[in-house]
Amino acid sequence: MAPTQPTETTHDLPWWKTAVVYQVYPRSFADADGDGVGDLPGILSKVDHIADLGVDCVWMSPFYESPMRDNGYDVSDHCAIDPVFGTLEDFDALVEALHERGIRLIVDFVPNHVSSDHPWFVEAVSDPDSERRDWFIWADPAPGGGPPFNWTASFTEESAWELDEASGQYYLHLFLPEQPDLNWSNPAVEAAQHDVLRFWLDRGVDGFRIDVINAIGKDPEPRDVPERMEGIAHVVLTHHETAMPLIRRIRALVDPPEVERLVVGEVVTGDLEQQASYCGDGDGVSCTVNFVSIGTKWDRDQWHLLIAGMEDAYADHDATWPSYVLSNHDNPRQRTRYGGSEARARSAAVLLLTVRGTPSLYQGEELGLEDAVIPAGTEVDPGGRDGCRAPIPWTIEAPHGWGEDTWLPFPPDAGARSVEAQRADSTSVLALYKQLLAARKASPALQQGSLELLARTDDVLAYRRIHGDDERIVAVNFGDAPADVTDLAGTVVVASNGLGAGRPFSGRLGPDEAVVLQP
Ligand code: GLC
């Protein structure tokens, strides 16, 4: 593989560029009231875990009032906390506790759809003449009857158009029928959603992660899609040019010049250029959720291609840069995807936290957790994503700091992988994450330096990061045999096996091992 050209960062950095983001999924983080479901007081009780880890920003998944058909991504009141999670006072206390520790908080904003229980939709259905009717997307049946277009929805793979029997019209839902899509071409919808953003800004949040942002601009002339595109209709028919003006106005509202806030866009695409295009000229989203990194296999060439592709795609975007993510609440955890090996999970951590860009960790990744096994018939999520949403084990003894009856089972080896067990072990996965985060904070090269992929012919991916006088070399052995890399020399800053820091590098990497060197 050929090396890439180094890309130098020359501008002053907004805080989020040197930040590491940590995703909290409230249902599964920590349970203060012992009902087996995580809650805001639970998160508050664990802020020191987040602070000790050394991350800079928490992204919290939805905690708003919801009938929970899509675990909170179906919001029935944008400005209320669902009672299962607590109260607005609990939220305020959490903001304060995080800010006291120098940690920022961004929250999920779900603009594309609401719950069918939301008063906006209830009114739109019950009174077709009301102003709310046009807040949603309606169409008459196809000429021969049935759904107006052949689009299928996510999760069900059935029609994305649901009949409202009373009026005889169909409404659009790209996800569940209980998640009707909002009509962002109606300025009243945009204004109402801006009010939601202001509500949370006034409560002190530092920005938003915006759910399926590519879907808010829709083609105003809907049409059938070719058969082979069914099931991904929403990916094909969204990404419409009408999205960008809406996104620019969100960015201007959330991140005006006098403050610095973060707007992360969940852009559902496998196309790196398209991903980067949502950042506009620094006036779109600040950065995106990287759907390609989360799908990249444990394979040296694939990672080389991804990093080179990201460097290319973002080369002309001065105000933004790459972002990387390996695990979240929608996908199997990295350790599970990479085959379950702890050595790989550790090396993946080295990769995620040393490549150029803003990394995002998912709760429990720092413990090397795998997905839970969900017994057949007990599934909760319509999208089959329960495994990665299992509760975090805090203590060695069951029920691991939770009420007896948790909403999902724990991941494998919960006691041994609990926070309590790993805190006591200086070679644990948790200890490795802390070392990596500290090494990143201490090194301008790792935080913001240029990245140059080094040409190699073996199973090792290696890159050099440079900022001013500061330099680091990272080498990751993707192979299942030891690799001799005597051409790479320096002092070990962090090794994925947790050993040897401060000593000269031996020149050899074990299978699935990685190392950060200071030349
Ligand atoms: C996003 C969320 C996912 C949710 C979907 C619909 O992809 O991450 O959890 O189900 O949007 O809101």
PDB file of all heavy atoms in Angstrom, residues 37-49:
ATOM      1  N   VAL A  37     -33.817  -0.632  35.110  1.00  0.00           N
ATOM      2  CA  VAL A  37     -33.666   0.237  33.931  1.00  0.00           C
ATOM      3  C   VAL A  37     -32.787   1.408  34.351  1.00  0.00           C
ATOM      4  O   VAL A  37     -33.007   2.015  35.411  1.00  0.00           O
ATOM      5  CB  VAL A  37     -35.040   0.758  33.452  1.00  0.00           C
ATOM      6  CG1 VAL A  37     -34.867   1.706  32.265  1.00  0.00           C
ATOM      7  CG2 VAL A  37     -35.947  -0.399  33.078  1.00  0.00           C
ATOM      8  N   GLY A  38     -31.787   1.745  33.545  1.00  0.00           N
ATOM      9  CA  GLY A  38     -30.899   2.858  33.877  1.00  0.00           C
ATOM     10  C   GLY A  38     -31.670   4.171  33.941  1.00  0.00           C
ATOM     11  O   GLY A  38     -32.754   4.291  33.375  1.00  0.00           O
ATOM     12  N   ASP A  39     -31.087   5.150  34.635  1.00  0.00           N
ATOM     13  CA  ASP A  39     -31.781   6.433  34.807  1.00  0.00           C
ATOM     14  C   ASP A  39     -30.764   7.562  34.994  1.00  0.00           C
ATOM     15  O   ASP A  39     -29.564   7.316  35.150  1.00  0.00           O
ATOM     16  CB  ASP A  39     -32.758   6.345  35.988  1.00  0.00           C
ATOM     17  CG  ASP A  39     -32.142   5.653  37.195  1.00  0.00           C
ATOM     18  OD1 ASP A  39     -30.999   6.010  37.546  1.00  0.00           O
ATOM     19  OD2 ASP A  39     -32.774   4.739  37.770  1.00  0.00           O
ATOM     20  N   LEU A  40     -31.288   8.804  34.982  1.00  0.00           N
ATOM     21  CA  LEU A  40     -30.389   9.962  35.085  1.00  0.00           C
ATOM     22  C   LEU A  40     -29.667  10.009  36.440  1.00  0.00           C
ATOM     23  O   LEU A  40     -28.452  10.268  36.464  1.00  0.00           O
ATOM     24  CB  LEU A  40     -31.149  11.272  34.821  1.00  0.00           C
ATOM     25  CG  LEU A  40     -31.786  11.420  33.432  1.00  0.00           C
ATOM     26  CD1 LEU A  40     -32.424  12.796  33.285  1.00  0.00           C
ATOM     27  CD2 LEU A  40     -30.765  11.222  32.321  1.00  0.00           C
ATOM     28  N   PRO A  41     -30.345   9.748  37.569  1.00  0.00           N
ATOM     29  CA  PRO A  41     -29.588   9.716  38.830  1.00  0.00           C
ATOM     30  C   PRO A  41     -28.490   8.640  38.799  1.00  0.00           C
ATOM     31  O   PRO A  41     -27.433   8.804  39.418  1.00  0.00           O
ATOM     32  CB  PRO A  41     -30.660   9.404  39.883  1.00  0.00           C
ATOM     33  CG  PRO A  41     -31.924   9.958  39.287  1.00  0.00           C
ATOM     34  CD  PRO A  41     -31.799   9.663  37.807  1.00  0.00           C
ATOM     35  N   GLY A  42     -28.734   7.556  38.080  1.00  0.00           N
ATOM     36  CA  GLY A  42     -27.694   6.526  37.928  1.00  0.00           C
ATOM     37  C   GLY A  42     -26.476   7.106  37.216  1.00  0.00           C
ATOM     38  O   GLY A  42     -25.325   6.919  37.643  1.00  0.00           O
ATOM     39  N   ILE A  43     -26.726   7.831  36.136  1.00  0.00           N
ATOM     40  CA  ILE A  43     -25.600   8.439  35.397  1.00  0.00           C
ATOM     41  C   ILE A  43     -24.869   9.409  36.315  1.00  0.00           C
ATOM     42  O   ILE A  43     -23.627   9.417  36.375  1.00  0.00           O
ATOM     43  CB  ILE A  43     -26.107   9.149  34.120  1.00  0.00           C
ATOM     44  CG1 ILE A  43     -26.862   8.163  33.222  1.00  0.00           C
ATOM     45  CG2 ILE A  43     -24.926   9.760  33.349  1.00  0.00           C
ATOM     46  CD1 ILE A  43     -27.596   8.813  32.057  1.00  0.00           C
ATOM     47  N   LEU A  44     -25.651  10.204  37.069  1.00  0.00           N
ATOM     48  CA  LEU A  44     -25.046  11.169  37.994  1.00  0.00           C
ATOM     49  C   LEU A  44     -24.129  10.459  38.991  1.00  0.00           C
ATOM     50  O   LEU A  44     -23.040  10.948  39.310  1.00  0.00           O
ATOM     51  CB  LEU A  44     -26.162  11.930  38.735  1.00  0.00           C
ATOM     52  CG  LEU A  44     -25.710  12.988  39.726  1.00  0.00           C
ATOM     53  CD1 LEU A  44     -25.015  14.145  38.997  1.00  0.00           C
ATOM     54  CD2 LEU A  44     -26.904  13.540  40.522  1.00  0.00           C
ATOM     55  N   SER A  45     -24.557   9.294  39.445  1.00  0.00           N
ATOM     56  CA  SER A  45     -23.750   8.573  40.446  1.00  0.00           C
ATOM     57  C   SER A  45     -22.457   8.014  39.849  1.00  0.00           C
ATOM     58  O   SER A  45     -21.577   7.566  40.583  1.00  0.00           O
ATOM     59  CB  SER A  45     -24.576   7.438  41.063  1.00  0.00           C
ATOM     60  OG  SER A  45     -24.711   6.378  40.123  1.00  0.00           O
ATOM     61  N   LYS A  46     -22.343   8.022  38.534  1.00  0.00           N
ATOM     62  CA  LYS A  46     -21.146   7.443  37.887  1.00  0.00           C
ATOM     63  C   LYS A  46     -20.345   8.486  37.106  1.00  0.00           C
ATOM     64  O   LYS A  46     -19.498   8.108  36.279  1.00  0.00           O
ATOM     65  CB  LYS A  46     -21.567   6.324  36.917  1.00  0.00           C
ATOM     66  CG  LYS A  46     -22.344   5.188  37.562  1.00  0.00           C
ATOM     67  CD  LYS A  46     -21.563   4.448  38.624  1.00  0.00           C
ATOM     68  CE  LYS A  46     -22.362   3.304  39.199  1.00  0.00           C
ATOM     69  NZ  LYS A  46     -21.770   2.740  40.429  1.00  0.00           N
ATOM     70  N   VAL A  47     -20.582   9.755  37.359  1.00  0.00           N
ATOM     71  CA  VAL A  47     -19.825  10.754  36.570  1.00  0.00           C
ATOM     72  C   VAL A  47     -18.330  10.654  36.860  1.00  0.00           C
ATOM     73  O   VAL A  47     -17.512  10.970  35.995  1.00  0.00           O
ATOM     74  CB  VAL A  47     -20.292  12.213  36.749  1.00  0.00           C
ATOM     75  CG1 VAL A  47     -21.544  12.507  35.975  1.00  0.00           C
ATOM     76  CG2 VAL A  47     -20.433  12.580  38.183  1.00  0.00           C
ATOM     77  N   ASP A  48     -17.979  10.179  38.051  1.00  0.00           N
ATOM     78  CA  ASP A  48     -16.538  10.077  38.317  1.00  0.00           C
ATOM     79  C   ASP A  48     -15.876   8.965  37.493  1.00  0.00           C
ATOM     80  O   ASP A  48     -14.697   9.048  37.174  1.00  0.00           O
ATOM     81  CB  ASP A  48     -16.278   9.897  39.811  1.00  0.00           C
ATOM     82  CG  ASP A  48     -16.444  11.235  40.542  1.00  0.00           C
ATOM     83  OD1 ASP A  48     -16.166  12.285  39.905  1.00  0.00           O
ATOM     84  OD2 ASP A  48     -16.897  11.237  41.692  1.00  0.00           O
ATOM     85  N   HIS A  49     -16.644   7.950  37.149  1.00  0.00           N
ATOM     86  CA  HIS A  49     -16.097   6.932  36.237  1.00  0.00           C
ATOM     87  C   HIS A  49     -15.767   7.578  34.889  1.00  0.00           C
ATOM     88  O   HIS A  49     -14.699   7.346  34.317  1.00  0.00           O
ATOM     89  CB  HIS A  49     -17.111   5.796  36.048  1.00  0.00           C
ATOM     90  CG  HIS A  49     -16.732   4.836  34.949  1.00  0.00           C
ATOM     91  ND1 HIS A  49     -15.743   3.886  35.099  1.00  0.00           N
ATOM     92  CD2 HIS A  49     -17.186   4.700  33.676  1.00  0.00           C
ATOM     93  CE1 HIS A  49     -15.618   3.201  33.963  1.00  0.00           C
ATOM     94  NE2 HIS A  49     -16.475   3.673  33.082  1.00  0.00           N
TER      95      HIS A  49
END
